[in-house]
């Protein structure tokens, strides 16, 4: 007799692909066995079954590498635990380069592997040929080899995870369609299905290409879109041996793996084919899409160039199946900001198999412990803006997203598709001044200005890009005269009500119980003391505060605040981003320029650093905030949107004889790097505490409020730190720091850079990074060592300091 359909479960997982099975398996390992997995068809029938099954450990970032290196360990052990074969074999992976630029990218990835203990090495053309005898070594400049990588059978691996979950009490039910969710007081409380309702405490949406539609049933935005992903399998050939490593020819947009004496050739081609779900049958299980040789011709030609054997190989099967892709080519993982206890694990951008082990473990731990086990902000669902579920936007962006997996991962690379989506009030004016725009959270932002005959477009490289001199002139103007930035994309919110101060005191690490007109720099912390947000809070009235944060983290930060407001508190949070433009006037002549347009007193005595006043300027009223992110005297003007253009024109005109220059975000990054101002998401993350980051001055240990994270910071103060953020300055002017470059002290690996840029005032690259501290070491230990930073295969001498190299006493900021 079949078991009765459940009416209750602690966790309901929607989707029986490898992600859902992995989360169920890892929940059971944590002792949570009251778990139900619902699959509308049969296990693996959606995307998992037709995946290529590549398994690799090194990715482009620390977070992704940390997630993916667990895969080989788990996949190789599942058979012993469950008796189910996975098909995993550690035959290694070989990534080859056809161009010098790609070789540099591979070298940087191999260097990153040192930090995680992943065995990897660079190889020349001859060794590449030894490792993969089928390639034409004349097309190869070199590459990287990772012995511990390999391949697995996606269906068998998912079934092994499912079996392990079942053995530990998880119930998996096939042929059940989810029709909706019950939401009570902002939290999910039940899953509605065609066979009845299941009351639950948690839901995890692992529905793959259907995750967007499943999320919409609960009012949760899941911005992903399907695309056609193609590969072919050849006829067998004796030359195709089972020990061949997985080959990645990313310059050719292809990967190749051995498959039972055959070759599987897949592609991540530019200009992909988006796939609206309406084009699929209602019951799309183990389905294949139509062959498209026209689409596959270019990558297959590249594959034949690299592996001449393919020219005469017969094609046994052309596989075309749907995969889901996201607007920024990063996963969608975590608790949805719209509904408590509703988790999502989807949008894997054709990397679901290789990341399934790490993501499954991380999400399970997140559910059980109530917080992510590591810095997951890079892939956190809360990062997305509401508009990013727009179907046309997703369709157009997906054309680009698929190919980005194998495109060059250039520093400062800009998305090209689905633009423009959002424009600041000054966009047309900046365009007339030859602004070259980048995109952040959908905003079109001036990254730099093409002057003196410079071509107004990007030419990417790992060295000095074509905008180098233009940005240098912008940087110099800010340091020596005055610069004007359009920062209108800043996220802005009003926290209002009689309980606003008390609520912010609990949420913010700094003391916000300040006089009206005071600006407070603060972090928002998790219970481990990690930095969830880095922002400013300005007190506009006794019961009104303005919160300012970066465009890229706006959605996430406001969601964090909203989640942490007490339900019973008399307080509101209102997003007013679109209500204000922001003009940033920075540099030694900023005071003189503003005095020409306003009768306000901008002197130190009347308008000290860290304060805000409402002023008359031109024909408008604006909030003037005396702050800086560049390390110079300056003010940010928060101007009602409709007045922003005229005020910009006045500033630009009146500043001509003061040396005013329009400046963009690349200059901003260079200036803030010299001054050592942290950037959330790079220098400070949920995995870093303010004490480790050198931001203890911004923590209100003296206030009476028991703010989130306080206990953890007090424990850390008492125990001492094991790592510390330091500033680095290269000795040579030529190399360019970016981020995630290994740091060596006296020849020993001690850390990784978190950000870097060329410091035009200092004449060399400057950056930041965390250094591991031995027991009993203090800041002096950091500064006493001899440092090198590794860029690709080369190491460059650097100085280290706990204080910024530019204006360490902040004299210029308060001049």
């Amino acid at each position: 007799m079949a078991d009765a359909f459940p009416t209750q479960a602690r966790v309901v997982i929607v989707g029986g692909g490898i992600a859902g099975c992995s989360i169920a398996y890892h929940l059971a390992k944590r002792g949570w066995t009251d778990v139900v997995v619902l699959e509308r068809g049969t296990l693996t029938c959606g995307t998992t079954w037709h995946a290529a099954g590549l398994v690799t450990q090194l990715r482009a970032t620390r977070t992704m590498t940390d997630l993916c290196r667990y895969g080989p360990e788990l996949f190789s052990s599942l058979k012993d635990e469950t008796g189910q074969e996975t098909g995993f074999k550690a035959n290694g992976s070989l990534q080859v380069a056809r161009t010098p630029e790609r070789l540099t990218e591979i070298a940087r990835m191999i260097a990153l592997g040192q930090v995680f203990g992943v065995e990897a090495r660079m190889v020349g053309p001859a060794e590449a040929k030894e490792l993969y005898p089928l390639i034409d070594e004349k097309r190869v400049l070199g590459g990287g080899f990772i012995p511990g990588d390999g391949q697995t059978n996606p269906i068998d691996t998912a079934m092994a995870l499912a079996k392990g979950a079942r053995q530990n009490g998880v119930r998996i039910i096939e042929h059940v369609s989810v029709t909706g969710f019950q939401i009570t007081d902002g939290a999910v409380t039940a899953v509605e299905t065609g066979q009845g309702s299941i009351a639950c405490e948690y839901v995890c949406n692992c529905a793959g290409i259907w995750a967007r539609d499943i999320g919409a049933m609960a009012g949760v935005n899941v911005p992903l879109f399907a695309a056609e992903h193609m590969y072919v399998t050849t006829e067998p050939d004796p030359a195709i041996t089972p020990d061949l490593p997985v080959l990645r020819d990313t310059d050719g947009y292809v990967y190749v793996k051995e498959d039972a004496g055959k070759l599987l050739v897949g592609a991540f081609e530019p200009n992909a084919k988006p796939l609206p779900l309406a084009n699929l049958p209602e019951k799309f299980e183990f389905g294949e899409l139509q062959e498209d040789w026209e689409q596959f011709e270019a990558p297959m030609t590249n594959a034949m160039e690299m592996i001449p054997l393919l020219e005469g190989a017969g094609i046994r099967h052309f596989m075309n199946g749907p995969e889901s892709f996201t607007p920024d080519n990063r996963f969608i993982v975590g608790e949805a900001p719209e509904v408590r206890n509703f988790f999502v694990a989807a949008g894997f951008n054709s990397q679901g198999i290789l990341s399934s082990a790490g993501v499954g473990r991380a999400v399970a731990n997140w559910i059980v412990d109530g917080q992510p086990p590591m810095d997951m902000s890079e892939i956190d669902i809360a990062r997305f803006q509401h508009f990013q579920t727009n179907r046309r936007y997703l369709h157009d962006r997906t054309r680009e997203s698929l190919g980005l997996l194998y495109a060059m991962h250039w520093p400062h690379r800009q998305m090209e598709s689905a633009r423009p989506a959002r424009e600041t009030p000054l966009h047309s004016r900046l365009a007339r001044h030859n602004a070259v725009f980048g995109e952040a959270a959908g905003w079109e932002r001036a990254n730099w200005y093409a002057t003196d005959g410079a071509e107004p477009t990007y030419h990417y490289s790992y060295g000095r890009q074509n905008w180098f001199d233009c940005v240098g002139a912008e940087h110099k103007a800010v340091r020596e005269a005055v610069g004007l930035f359009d920062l209108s994309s800043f996220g802005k919110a009003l926290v209002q009500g009689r309980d606003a101060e008390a609520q912010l005191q609990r949420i913010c690490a700094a003391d916000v119980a300040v006089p009206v007109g005071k600006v407070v720099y603060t972090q928002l912390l998790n219970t481990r003391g990690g930095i969830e947000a880095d922002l400013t809070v300005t007190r506009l009235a006794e019961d009104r505060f303005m919160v300012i944060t970066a465009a890229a983290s706006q959605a996430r930060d406001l969601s964090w605040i909203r989640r942490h407001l007490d339900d019973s508190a008399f307080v509101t949070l209102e997003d007013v981003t679109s209500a204000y433009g922001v003009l940033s006037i920075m540099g030694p002549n900023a005071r003189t320029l503003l005095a020409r347009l306003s009768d306000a007193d901008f002197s130190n005595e009347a308008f000290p650093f860290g304060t805000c006043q409402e002023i008359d300027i031109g024909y408008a009223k604006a909030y003037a905030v005396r702050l800086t992110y560049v390390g110079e005297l300056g003010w940010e003007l928060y101007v009602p949107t409709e007045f922003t253009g005229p005020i910009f024109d006045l500033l630009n005109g009146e500043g001509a004889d003061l040396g005013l220059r329009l400046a963009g975000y690349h200059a901003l990054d260079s200036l803030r790097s010299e001054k050592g101002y942290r950037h959330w998401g790079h220098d400070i993350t949920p995995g870093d505490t303010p004490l480790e980051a050198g931001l203890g001055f911004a923590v209100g240990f003296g206030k009476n409020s028991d703010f989130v994270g306080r206990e953890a910071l007090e424990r850390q103060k008492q125990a001492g730190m094991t790592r510390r953020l330091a500033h680095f300055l290269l000795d040579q002017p030529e190399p360019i720091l970016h981020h995630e470059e290994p740091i060596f002290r006296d020849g020993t690996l001690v850390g990784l850079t978190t950000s870097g840029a060329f410091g035009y005032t200092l004449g060399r690259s400057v950056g930041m990074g965390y250094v591991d501290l031995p027991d009993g070491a203090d800041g002096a230990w950091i500064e006493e060592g001899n440092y090198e930073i590794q860029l690709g295969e080369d190491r460059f001498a650097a100085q280290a300091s706990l204080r910024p190299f530019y204006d360490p006493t902040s004299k210029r900021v308060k001049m």
Side-chain angles (χ1 to χ4, degrees), residues 470-589:
C470 293
V471 171
E474 296 169 24
H475 179 116
K476 183 179 180 181
V478 175
R479 289 279 185 251
E480 298 178 3
V482 62
L484 176 56
F485 299 86
D486 174 20
L487 304 183
S488 300
S489 62
F490 274 1
K492 317 164 193 82
L494 290 177
V495 180
Q496 304 178 92
R498 68 173 181 235
D499 295 331
E501 178 188 297
Q503 292 294 299
L504 288 173
Q505 281 287 73
R506 185 174 50 79
I507 296 171
C508 298
D511 189 351
V512 299
V514 295
V516 172
K518 182 66 177 172
V519 184
V520 179
Y521 170 58
T522 186
Q523 286 78 47
L524 312 185
L525 309 179
N526 55 43
T527 56
R528 294 193 301 263
I531 301 170
E532 294 286 345
D534 183 66
L535 43 78
T536 62
V537 177
T538 301
R539 188 164 207 159
L540 301 178
E542 286 299 317
D543 61 350
R544 187 166 75 255
F545 296 80
M546 179 176 278
V547 175
I548 305 298
T549 190
S553 54
Q554 171 201 346
R556 190 179 189 280
D557 293 355
L558 299 192
S559 170
W560 181 269
I561 295 173
R562 189 175 288 109
R563 280 286 180 88
H564 286 79
L565 294 173
D566 288 337
D567 292 338
S568 59
F570 195 88
V571 63
T572 62
L573 173 65
E574 181 184 4
D575 184 354
V576 294
T577 299
S578 298
Y580 295 94
V582 183
L583 296 166
S584 176
I585 301 95
M586 296 288 152
N589 294 339

Side-chain angles (χ1 to χ4, degrees), residues 56-72 108-110 112-118 146 331 351 354-355 358 361 374 378 740 752:
T56 188
Q57 302 164 82
L58 286 182
R59 311 303 294 162
T61 67
R62 173 193 286 266
T63 295
M64 291 303 298
T65 298
D66 214 20
L67 286 171
C68 293
R69 63 186 176 137
Y70 171 51
R108 290 178 64 91
M109 180 186 69
I110 297 296
L112 179 63
Q114 301 172 83
V115 179
F116 296 95
V118 175
I146 308 172
F331 303 167
Q351 301 166 78
L354 65 90
S355 63
R361 181 171 66 175
M374 54 183 282
E378 178 183 333
E740 298 196 329
L752 197 66

Side-chain angles (χ1 to χ4, degrees), residues 745 773 777-785 787 800 802:
R745 181 187 185 275
L773 298 174
D778 56 14
W781 180 88
I782 289 180
E783 296 184 340
E784 290 166 358
Y787 285 87
L802 289 177

Side-chain angles (χ1 to χ4, degrees), residues 448-452 454 466-475 661:
W448 57 286
Y449 292 85
T451 56
D452 302 323
N466 65 309
W467 45 260
F468 184 86
D469 291 337
C470 293
V471 171
E474 296 169 24
H475 179 116
R661 194 175 190 113

Side-chain angles (χ1 to χ4, degrees), residues 8-14 32 38 178-193 197-205 214-220 334-344 367 563:
Q8 178 278 332
R10 193 171 192 182
V11 183
V12 175
I13 297 171
V14 181
W32 283 35
L38 301 178
V178 171
T179 58
F181 300 91
Q182 293 180 21
I183 312 297
T184 306
D185 296 329
V188 65
T189 53
V191 179
E192 302 287 352
T193 80
S197 177
I198 305 175
C200 62
E201 298 176 34
Y202 300 89
V203 164
C204 195
N205 176 3
I214 294 293
M217 295 177 185
V220 171
E335 186 180 14
E338 300 91 348
V339 179
R340 291 193 305 278
N341 298 340
F342 190 104
F343 284 76
V344 178
I367 292 172
R563 280 286 180 88

Side-chain angles (χ1 to χ4, degrees), residues 30-150:
R30 288 295 305 272
W32 283 35
T33 57
D34 186 12
V35 177
V36 170
V37 178
L38 301 178
E39 167 54 51
R40 72 172 191 168
T42 54
L43 291 183
T44 78
C45 72
T47 297
T48 297
W49 76 275
H50 64 73
L54 312 185
V55 180
T56 188
Q57 302 164 82
L58 286 182
R59 311 303 294 162
T61 67
R62 173 193 286 266
T63 295
M64 291 303 298
T65 298
D66 214 20
L67 286 171
C68 293
R69 63 186 176 137
Y70 171 51
E73 174 189 336
L74 178 64
F75 297 160
S76 61
S77 65
L78 280 173
K79 180 189 174 184
D80 292 338
E81 177 186 348
T82 67
Q84 167 71 50
E85 289 278 2
T86 65
F88 175 75
K89 61 177 181 177
N91 51 329
S93 70
L94 173 66
Q95 184 173 347
V96 295
R98 300 183 184 221
T99 65
E101 294 80 11
R102 182 70 71 176
L103 199 61
T104 297
E105 179 182 87
I106 294 171
R108 290 178 64 91
M109 180 186 69
I110 297 296
L112 179 63
Q114 301 172 83
V115 179
F116 296 95
V118 175
E119 182 185 355
R121 67 177 188 272
M122 296 296 290
V123 299
E127 187 176 1
K129 178 72 172 178
E130 285 181 28
L131 292 165
Y132 206 101
L134 302 182
I135 65 170
D136 179 359
E137 71 272 28
K138 295 189 295 296
R139 300 203 177 262
V140 175
L141 297 182
F145 180 62
I146 308 172
D149 285 356

